Amino acid sequence: MLAHQQRSANSGERTRLACWRKRPAFVNFESLKDCFGEPPKPAREPRALPKTVYSVVVGLYVLLMSHSFAAEVIPPTPKAYFNDYANVVSKEAASGFNEQLAQFERETSDQVVVAVFPKMQSDSDIADYTQRVAQAWGVGQKDRRNGVVLFVFIQDRKMFIQVGYGLEGALPDATAFDITERHIKPLFRTGDYEAGLATGIDLICKAIRGEYTGSGKTVAERKGGAGVFGLLPFITFIIVLIIISRLFRKLGGYGYSSRRSGPVFIPSGGGWSSGGGSGGGFSGFGGGGGSFGGGGAGSSW
């Protein structure tokens, strides 16, 4: 029995050696099957996503992303402190609120802006959306970041007070919520938007007054004054020309003819204006570059 097993093993070994000696220059798997059996099959790669399904998935993603971006609108920077785009208060009241907030900036340097919209043009949360709008408008001084914006959306029945970094201590979230929830909301529910806005403006100004000191001018007024000061070199040049022209005329200097001593430029209009508002007592708003970090609170009514 042992001898028979030994002969079988030797016979199998001689068969394998003969196969290897006769192997061609290239590997022929068909001829090797007899010697070594079926070669192992490679692992199957994961099935790739069909191109049609892939295109549909990418198309839906792009469509959803474009819809989300198109659904949000950042309004342009307003030209006034009080902006009633929904026409819920009278023009006289709007003008009074605007002048009140302009005077508040002159006294404190704090910029308080009110924006009343028909509805919110975004699918985002009101806190996130109003923060982006307030940041884009740059309400408040750049170095002090002392801006506050009261947003009201009439059809959505929502409001939110956005507070700049520099006023979060004077107007924390709890105080902002108290103003909207306990003082503005009851008046809005009765439809008295003018009284609700007046109350909100007064309480916001009381909360933040004293944090900073004003310069007596708004940002817009300082920019207007800077425009006049930019004309000083031209004014100085005109004055020098007048003086030189008169000196030449007195000294008999040369001119264009015997009867003229040269051109004389005289500014007309009875002097130069110092600038200021845009007429009619209107005080315009100009963003100072303030920033917002999400401080504030709001309510629904």
Side-chain angles (χ1 to χ4, degrees):
M1 178 66 69
L2 292 176
H4 177 72
Q5 291 178 351
Q6 184 65 31
R7 283 195 301 272
S8 298
N10 292 337
S11 176
E13 183 66 23
R14 284 195 299 270
T15 303
R16 291 189 183 90
L17 290 175
C19 289
W20 276 109
R21 291 192 188 98
K22 296 178 180 179
R23 73 183 185 277
F26 58 91
V27 178
N28 189 343
F29 288 100
E30 294 298 329
S31 62
L32 293 178
K33 285 181 182 179
D34 299 333
C35 302
F36 301 102
E38 191 74 23
K41 295 182 179 180
R44 293 183 63 183
E45 296 182 357
R47 188 175 182 182
L49 192 66
K51 291 185 177 180
T52 305
V53 178
Y54 178 79
S55 301
V56 171
V57 171
V58 173
L60 288 175
Y61 176 78
V62 172
L63 182 62
L64 290 174
M65 292 299 294
S66 62
H67 174 73
S68 63
F69 283 118
E72 181 165 297
V73 176
I74 301 296
T77 304
K79 297 182 179 180
Y81 295 87
F82 185 87
N83 307 272
D84 180 15
Y85 302 108
N87 297 319
V88 295
V89 303
S90 65
K91 292 183 178 180
E92 292 76 16
S95 178
F97 291 148
N98 187 74
E99 188 55 42
Q100 176 186 350
L101 295 174
Q103 184 60 29
F104 185 74
E105 182 186 350
R106 296 186 189 104
E107 297 173 357
T108 66
S109 80
D110 299 332
Q111 288 188 333
V112 179
V113 173
V114 179
V116 184
F117 293 97
K119 65 178 299 182
M120 190 172 69
Q121 299 189 47
S122 174
D123 295 331
S124 301
D125 176 72
I126 186 173
D128 297 334
Y129 175 62
T130 54
Q131 180 189 351
R132 288 192 289 273
V133 176
Q135 182 72 29
W137 290 354
V139 182
Q141 315 292 329
K142 185 175 183 179
D143 55 340
R144 296 179 174 181
R145 300 183 290 184
N146 53 344
V148 177
V149 186
L150 169 58
F151 291 94
V152 179
F153 303 98
I154 301 298
Q155 296 178 21
D156 300 313
R157 305 182 72 85
K158 294 180 181 180
M159 58 181 152
F160 200 94
I161 299 176
Q162 279 291 340
V163 184
Y165 280 112
L167 292 175
E168 289 182 354
L171 187 57
D173 297 355
T175 303
F177 179 75
D178 180 75
I179 293 174
T180 59
E181 185 71 16
R182 295 184 54 202
H183 299 277
I184 302 179
K185 179 177 179 177
L187 294 169
F188 277 9
R189 279 187 166 178
T190 63
D192 195 348
Y193 293 106
E194 187 171 316
L197 292 167
T199 301
I201 291 172
D202 290 338
L203 292 176
I204 290 173
C205 291
K206 286 180 181 178
I208 63 178
R209 183 181 289 276
E211 288 294 302
Y212 301 99
T213 304
S215 63
K217 289 186 177 182
T218 66
V219 171
E221 289 169 347
R222 289 201 302 271
K223 289 179 179 178
V228 173
F229 285 117
L231 294 174
L232 283 178
F234 178 74
I235 297 173
T236 304
F237 174 72
I238 296 297
I239 294 175
V240 170
L241 281 180
I242 294 173
I243 294 174
I244 293 175
S245 177
R246 290 179 178 178
L247 285 175
F248 273 117
R249 185 166 52 190
K250 289 181 179 180
L251 298 176
Y254 43 82
Y256 293 109
S257 67
S258 59
R259 287 186 255 177
R260 295 186 182 180
S261 59
V264 177
F265 299 92
I266 301 177
S268 61
W272 298 88
S273 173
S274 59
S278 58
F282 175 78
S283 298
F285 165 74
S291 54
F292 293 76
S299 300
S300 300
W301 73 91

